[in-house]
Amino acid sequence: VMLEWLARVLWAAASLAVRAYCAVLAVGREASRAWVNARERALFGRDPREALRRSRERLALEKRPAHVAFVFARPRYVRCEKAAELACLAAVHGARTVTLFDDTGLLKKQITTILGHLSTYVKQADLGCFQFVLNTANGQHYVDATETKSHTVMVHVVSQEESRRVVATAATEVALQKPRQLETRGTAYETLADDISDATRIGSVVFTEPEVVVVFDDYTIIPNFFPWHIRLSEFFWAGRPDRFGALQLEDVLRGYAHTEKRFGV
Amino acid sequence: RRRMGLLAAVARRMLTLVASAAYLVVVVPAAKVVRLLVIWVLSQGAIPRHVAFIMDGNRRFARKKHMGSVTKGHSAGFSSLQMVMKNCFDLGVKELTVYGFSLENFKRKEEEVQFLMKLAEDKLRVITSPENRKAAEQNGVLIKFIGAKELLPKSLQECISVAEDESSPKLVEMNVCFAYTSRWEIAVAVEQIAKEGGNITSEAISKKLQLSPPDILVRTSGEHRFSDFLLWQGAQSVFMVHDIFWPEYSFWNLVSAILYYQWALPEISRRKAVNMNA
């Protein structure tokens, strides 16, 4: 009994040490981000246009992701204003598809709020050349449909409801339309996999593979995010979203640009 | 002076012998005791049932250690796998899955692919030798190969069929993903459901998959991606990335992964409960 008690005490001490270590790391990260954000405000003031212009100029990358996903892993991290800001930041850095994901579907329920914030951000940050299209399983919403814009940015607003269902739906469609493609022997599975990929849709829009996935979470727990599409995505765990801004996104994009080859090829 | 020189050489030899003896008599047993102690303490918390590994970095390890050939890195990687297997089973992990060879890896250089096939075949022959098979049966280790086996050389397929002995009692499972990708696994599940005439739903796909959800997914070499491994089953698993190459993976790295898992477990349980209710 005494030995068991001793083992439990030692285990509790080890667990506390791990938690303390992780807490210290988290505090350090938050302090670092707070300092970076303060520096950003000091350099650029509160003008989001200036921040975006400097951010784009500062970051000269050979490789930029065309599709960036932001995953809000905890309900208390879901913020419509932050979601809109992230979509704009990603668009400025060259992304033409942005995905906003949360497990419980809170973002989907607040589409009009996100539209409002996007519209405000577009005006404040002088992003009039971008046509933001909010796409959900139920339809599309345009920020400003009156003018023709140079660049269209598709913003998927999704939850875990669509995450696996899109694969099942696509597979059913392939099974009905191309029953002879249902063959996985040898390299035949590649044709089936390509057909399923082409058939996965959010609403009427084909859902592509995100190159970068930013997860707002306190733990490195894999989110329930579109398992079919994340096979080659670079994941970045970013903590709290309110401390994630232009400079943090630049770090993420730099990290993505420097990633090496896949599968050793 | 000659005598002094000889005496110095003898003294050096004696010191080396004493140091080696001290290492064997004191340090090695002490390390074993410490290891047993750590296992004992760690088992007071929840031990993950299923741990999966993406064994990345063999070739970079070979280049780092100037081994001359990347194939030596793969051999070192296999030695590391044996050690990790032992560590996992000592810690009480019941299922271990490793990403041995991806379908995408067939695009590598021909000589490297041939070497990997030959290495797998040689190691399987060792594993299925009579004395090792008896030890595996006594320990209740069940080995399964998951992947498109029809793409492998015939000789390797034969070795695999010998290694996959369903008749042995199962206490721990070792899944080797060879010629595998997660999309292949999902596509096979879809094919099976369609041929049985069932509805292709996400629940049906989950039931037809060949691998169970891992509690921890470990990747070495510092890369934060899944490389088409356990994509469907990996949701709500802890993802541990170690910034070392696979042949350098040690018992202490595994301990840190399990400690982190134990810390995150209440949050994982809460999310799984929320998802089930949803």
Side-chain angles (χ1 to χ4, degrees):
Chain A
V1 168
M2 278 187 66
L3 279 175
E4 218 177 275
W5 178 84
L6 177 64
R8 281 188 193 150
V9 165
L10 287 171
W11 175 78
S15 301
L16 270 173
V18 165
R19 282 167 211 236
Y21 174 70
C22 291
V24 165
L25 280 183
V27 165
R29 270 198 303 267
E30 292 302 323
S32 160
R33 281 186 195 136
W35 183 79
V36 163
N37 287 342
R39 195 181 59 146
E40 185 181 339
R41 278 194 295 274
L43 281 173
F44 309 129
R46 294 198 179 269
D47 185 355
R49 287 174 293 183
E50 189 63 22
L52 284 173
R53 187 178 69 79
R54 295 281 186 104
S55 184
R56 176 83 193 188
E57 282 171 5
R58 198 171 39 238
L59 203 61
L61 296 172
E62 286 181 6
K63 188 168 73 164
R64 290 176 186 272
H67 182 172
V68 179
F70 297 98
V71 175
F72 297 85
R74 314 190 82 170
R76 60 191 171 98
Y77 285 170
V78 176
R79 293 277 186 275
C80 296
E81 190 178 349
K82 177 53 75 173
E85 182 195 336
L86 292 171
C88 292
L89 277 172
V92 162
H93 283 292
R96 290 298 167 255
T97 308
V98 178
T99 298
L100 302 171
F101 174 95
D102 74 291
D103 262 348
T104 48
L106 286 172
L107 285 171
K108 282 196 301 189
K109 290 174 190 163
Q110 301 177 70
I111 282 287
T112 39
T113 315
I114 298 175
L115 264 175
H117 285 302
L118 262 176
S119 181
T120 310
Y121 214 96
V122 160
K123 284 178 194 145
Q124 281 181 354
D126 200 16
L127 298 176
C129 61
F130 292 105
Q131 174 61 279
F132 287 93
V133 182
L134 285 183
N135 183 48
T136 65
N138 298 327
Q140 293 182 351
H141 309 265
Y142 290 77
V143 169
D144 182 5
T146 53
E147 294 177 28
T148 313
K149 314 282 178 134
S150 316
H151 307 290
T152 301
V153 179
M154 186 64 61
V155 182
H156 298 292
V157 183
V158 287
S159 69
Q160 67 161 346
E161 197 183 350
E162 286 91 4
S163 185
R164 296 174 182 220
R165 200 177 62 188
V166 292
V167 180
T169 310
T172 306
E173 195 179 305
V174 169
L176 286 171
Q177 291 175 1
K178 302 181 189 178
R180 288 188 189 174
Q181 300 285 57
L182 285 175
E183 176 62 50
T184 56
R185 193 149 178 85
T187 53
Y189 92 96
E190 287 179 1
T191 312
L192 176 57
D194 288 340
D195 286 337
I196 292 175
S197 294
D198 293 337
T200 53
R201 290 190 191 86
I202 305 295
S204 58
V205 180
V206 173
F207 189 76
T208 55
E209 296 177 27
E211 285 98 331
V212 170
V213 179
V214 180
V215 184
F216 298 111
D217 197 354
D218 299 324
Y219 304 88
T220 51
I221 296 174
I222 302 170
N224 190 8
F225 176 79
F226 290 91
W228 182 266
H229 298 83
I230 56 169
R231 64 185 188 116
L232 295 178
S233 305
E234 294 292 329
F235 273 72
F236 297 88
W237 270 266
R240 287 169 52 181
D242 53 342
R243 299 290 171 90
F244 189 90
L247 291 178
Q248 286 76 33
L249 184 61
E250 285 172 27
D251 287 340
V252 166
L253 295 177
R254 249 183 240 110
Y256 168 74
H258 290 131
T259 48
E260 293 180 3
K261 47 195 176 179
R262 307 283 197 270
F263 297 107
V265 176
Chain B
R1 266 192 229 136
R2 247 168 141 193
R3 273 185 209 159
M4 290 301 291
L6 276 170
L7 274 171
V10 166
R12 270 200 302 272
R13 285 267 172 93
M14 292 290 295
L15 265 172
T16 312
L17 277 170
V18 166
S20 305
Y23 177 77
L24 286 170
V25 170
V26 176
V27 173
V28 168
K32 283 186 180 168
V33 167
V34 167
R35 185 189 142 96
L36 281 171
L37 186 68
V38 167
I39 291 173
W40 178 53
V41 168
L42 214 56
S43 60
Q44 300 308 307
I47 295 294
R49 196 195 71 82
H50 180 187
V51 181
F53 291 92
I54 301 176
M55 305 182 292
D56 195 14
N58 291 330
R59 300 190 304 173
R60 278 171 278 177
F61 176 79
R63 281 194 283 270
K64 177 182 165 185
K65 295 290 183 187
H66 308 291
M67 285 176 155
S69 164
V70 294
T71 52
K72 289 185 182 163
H74 290 301
S75 300
F78 183 79
S79 307
S80 180
L81 172 61
Q82 287 177 299
M83 197 186 62
V84 166
M85 271 178 65
K86 183 180 178 330
N87 290 334
C88 283
F89 297 144
D90 285 346
L91 279 161
V93 174
K94 295 295 177 200
E95 191 174 350
L96 177 62
T97 301
V98 294
Y99 200 6
F101 190 84
S102 166
L103 283 164
E104 301 289 332
N105 289 144
F106 279 112
K107 295 172 190 164
R108 288 188 179 183
K109 287 182 188 171
E110 183 67 30
E111 43 279 13
E112 190 180 346
V113 173
Q114 301 269 5
F115 174 81
L116 286 167
M117 297 297 149
K118 187 79 178 47
L119 178 69
E121 203 177 313
D122 291 342
K123 297 303 176 188
L124 276 174
R125 287 194 202 282
V126 168
I127 288 167
T128 52
S129 62
E131 56 274 9
N132 283 330
R133 179 172 278 285
K134 196 174 171 186
E137 280 173 9
Q138 280 171 353
N139 293 325
V141 179
L142 176 70
I143 301 177
K144 276 181 5 185
F145 276 77
I146 315 291
K149 294 174 204 159
E150 61 273 11
L151 294 175
L152 302 173
K154 283 274 183 281
S155 51
L156 182 53
Q157 290 182 44
E158 284 164 14
C159 289
I160 287 171
S161 61
V162 171
E164 285 181 325
D165 182 4
E166 293 281 342
S167 61
S168 59
K170 182 182 75 177
L171 289 177
V172 290
E173 277 183 56
M174 169 81 182
N175 303 313
V176 181
C177 295
F178 215 81
Y180 166 95
T181 57
S182 190
R183 280 194 174 182
W184 169 86
E185 193 188 3
I186 297 169
V188 166
V190 164
E191 184 196 10
Q192 282 176 355
I193 297 167
K195 284 185 176 164
E196 287 167 9
N199 289 331
I200 304 175
T201 61
S202 49
E203 290 79 20
I205 293 173
S206 299
K207 282 181 189 159
K208 284 288 180 188
L209 293 174
Q210 299 176 45
L211 292 165
S212 61
D215 295 304
I216 307 177
L217 177 55
V218 176
R219 180 163 188 151
T220 51
S221 80
E223 303 289 347
H224 284 76
R225 58 179 178 264
F226 302 113
S227 297
D228 217 340
F229 182 57
L230 291 177
L231 300 177
W232 194 276
Q233 301 94 322
Q236 311 302 347
S237 305
V238 166
F239 185 48
M240 280 299 292
V241 175
H242 295 280
D243 202 8
I244 49 167
F245 301 128
W246 173 250
E248 296 167 327
Y249 197 79
S250 71
F251 171 72
W252 300 107
N253 297 119
L254 185 59
V255 165
S256 71
I258 293 178
L259 272 173
Y260 186 88
Y261 164 77
Q262 289 174 345
W263 176 49
L265 187 57
E267 178 64 24
I268 295 171
S269 306
R270 188 193 66 81
R271 290 186 194 185
K272 283 183 178 169
V274 164
N275 289 340
M276 279 180 63
N277 289 340

